[in-house]
Each structure stands twice: as structure tokens, then as C-alpha cells.
């Protein structure tokens, strides 16, 4: 049967209750072969960035930030009632991170390389917790390290995907696993040909979902957000912002180009190439139909006027 890709961002897994909600969404909508791409929890990526910064610049705050990272995740684990026996895998990641942070920094390595060594722990820990919790409640899944499949150039913090490496790898090694059980994996992170960590830059998790969908010839990608779908304006600035039910890929690219922070053009390209539809849906109320973005020969599918506000801008 047909393969699908789901993506859950940081807001969808920011607390124990949020994780339970993701489990509910998966139980209801996650049948059939499924690859689930998940971000770091809540604002943890920011925290990991602070940690990378404190480590690199040898700041005194380093130990405190590490403690915050540990206790944040440990609290969620306790609330999810995950027992010691299952929890050791998360503990191992925290220990690995701690050892990395305690070691003296290699002075020859640039900041961006250290960033890519440290920041991916946000995704690794998040997905371990979610995978363990889902298995515990009977939603059987398999945790996979995205770095084994998302092979990239060696450019830290803005790596490009090496499609010729990725696609056969995902097809030969991941597809058979995904056909057997749901896969839980990480957004944003990859690995260069030199076997070192890389990250895909901002909005990298959506892009990861598109990479897997492209390589797996998925039937669709669903990005689960805390909004009801793609809106015609920023709901924080316009009270009467309305949902756009249907968009063509070209319109989505255009919206992104003019600054709507909806879907990154980088994410759209691989999906457009294979005509894979993209759904943007609400994890708060999954019964809402959300937005569908799909390939369309005539340019327009959207009837709604869109408003984009750009502030503090000087155009020369």
C-alpha cells in the first residue's frame, strides 16, 4: 500500500501532553506505511544553539545550559511514565552530549562544525523519547537515525543534499523497513561524505520530509502545525485571516518568495518534481481539512487574496 510522510514540528512535541496528542493523531491518521519526521522539542533547538555557543566560546554558562537541556527532557520522560529500562537510550544520548561538552574544544575546528556536532542532539533525543513512548502505548514503530540516509555536502549548517547518494540508499535500506512498521526519524540533520554531522539550515525539518517523500515516491506529505492550514495573511497581524484550502506549487513558491513563512521553496521543489501533494494540517484539530498544495498545469488554484507584511525594510 501507499507510503506517506508526516512531519511534526517543535510546537507539536513541546511537552508531555503535546507528545500524547501526537500519539493520538498517529493512532487516528497514521495507518499504512508511514515515515514520521520530528523536530527537537519546543524551543530546544534554541537551547542547543546556546549550548554550542557556550561550548565554543568557553563560557561559564555552559554547565547551566546543559542542566536545562537534561532536566527539560527528564521532566517530559517522567510525565510520560517511561521506565528506567526503556529510558536508558535517551540517557545514553544525554551522557554522550555531556562528554562532548566536557571535553576541551579542538581549537582548529570552526564554529559551524561544532554547531553541527552539538545541535542535532535536540532531534535525536526528541525522537528517541517519542519512539519509546509510542512503543510503550502499543503504537509499534522503529527509530531510525536520519544521518544514515540524508547524505549531504560537507558544508556545515547549510548542507546540500547529494540526491544520487540518498535516493538509492533510502530505496534499498529504508523502504523495506517502512513497509513493515512506522518509522520515526529526525528532521534537519544529515551527514557529509566525510561521516561528520551536517544540518540543513532553517526550516530544515520540512525539507527532510520532502527528501524522504521524493526518495520513497510517497503518496503525500503532511506537515502538522498549530494552525488550521496555510492562511492568506499572518493571523497574528490580521484578525480576519482565512484559510486557503487549495494551492498550486507555483503559488506556494510565490508566497514563500514574497515572505509568507509557510512552506520553504526548498521543501516544495522535490515534491513538485514528482507531483507529490503536500497537506498542511492542524495537530490541534486534525478533523479540519487544512490546506492542500498540489501540482497544477494552470497556475492558479487559490481564489483568496493574500497579504504579506514586511516590516523595517529599506529597499535599494
Amino acid at each position: 500500500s501507499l507510503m506517506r510522510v508526516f512531519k511534526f514540528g517543535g510546537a507539536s512535541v513541546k511537552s508531555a501532553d503535546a507528545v500524547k496528542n501526537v500519539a493520538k493523531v498517529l493512532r487516528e491518521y497514521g495507518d499504512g506505511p508511514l515515515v514520521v519526521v520530528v523536530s527537537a522539542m519546543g524551543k530546544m533547538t534554541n537551547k542547543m544553539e546556546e549550548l554550542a555557543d557556550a561550548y565554543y566560546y568557553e563560557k561559564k554558562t555552559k554547565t547551566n545550559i546543559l542542566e536545562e537541556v537534561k532536566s527539560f527532557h527528564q521532566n517530559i520522560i517522567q510525565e510520560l511514565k517511561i521506565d528506567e529500562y526503556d529510558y536508558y537510550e535517551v540517557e545514553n544520548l544525554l551522557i554522550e552530549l555531556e562528554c562532548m561538552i566536557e571535553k576541551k574544544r579542538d581549537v582548529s575546528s570552526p564554529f559551524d562544525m561544532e554547531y553541527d556536532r552539538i545541535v542535532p542532539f535536540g532531534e535525536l533525543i526528541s525522537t528517541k523519547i517519542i519512539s519509546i513512548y509510542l512503543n510503550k502505548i502499543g503504537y509499534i514503530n522503529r527509530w531510525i537515525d536520519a544521518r544514515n540516509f540524508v547524505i549531504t555536502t560537507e558544508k556545515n549548517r547549510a548542507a546540500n543534499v547529494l540526491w544520487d547518494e540518498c535516493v538509492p540508499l533510502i530505496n534499498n535500506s529504508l523502504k523495506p523497513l517502512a513497509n513493515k512498521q512506522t518509522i520515526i526519524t529526525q528532521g534537519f540533520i544529515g551527514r557529509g561524505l566525510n561521516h561528520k554531522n551536517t544540518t540543513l539550515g532553517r526550516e530544515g525539518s520540512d525539507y527532510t520530509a520532502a527528501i524522504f517523500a521524493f526518495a520513497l515516491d510517497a503518496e503525500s506529505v503532511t506537515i502538522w502545525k498549530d494552525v488550521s492550514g496555510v492562511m492568506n495573511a499572518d493571523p497574528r497581524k490580521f484578525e480576519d485571516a482565512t484559510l486557503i484550502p487549495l494551492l498550486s506549487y507555483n503559488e506556494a513558491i510565490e508566497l514563500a518568495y514574497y515572505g509568507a513563512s509557510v512552506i520553504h521553496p526548498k521543501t516544495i521543489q522535490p515534491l513538485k518534481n514528482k507531483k507529490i501533494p503536500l497537506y498542511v494540517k492542524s495537530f490541534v484539530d486534525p478533523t479540519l481539512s487544512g490546506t492542500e498544495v498540489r501540482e497544477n498545469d494552470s497556475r492558479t488554484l487559490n481564489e483568496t487574496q493574500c497579504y504579506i507584511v514586511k516590516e523595517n525594510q529599506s529597499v535599494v
Side-chain angles (χ1 to χ4, degrees), residues 16 71 73-82 87:
S71 64
H73 291 110
Q74 281 159 348
N75 287 339
I76 288 181
I77 282 161
Q78 277 169 337
E79 282 186 56
L80 293 173
K81 300 186 169 58
I82 296 172
Y87 165 57

Side-chain angles (χ1 to χ4, degrees), residues 50-68 101-102 104:
E50 279 176 44
L51 186 60
D53 186 74
Y55 174 68
Y56 188 83
Y57 296 107
E58 291 166 358
K59 295 180 178 171
K60 287 200 167 65
T61 50
K62 187 177 79 170
T63 324
N64 289 347
I65 298 169
L66 184 66
E67 276 315 306
E68 283 177 52
I101 296 297
E102 292 309 323
K104 200 115 187 71

Side-chain angles (χ1 to χ4, degrees), residues 247-270:
L247 273 173
S248 70
Y249 276 123
N250 289 342
E251 288 168 314
I253 290 169
E254 203 175 332
L255 275 176
Y257 176 78
Y258 289 112
S261 62
V262 185
I263 309 149
H264 209 270
K266 222 175 171 177
T267 302
I268 293 166
Q269 210 49 59

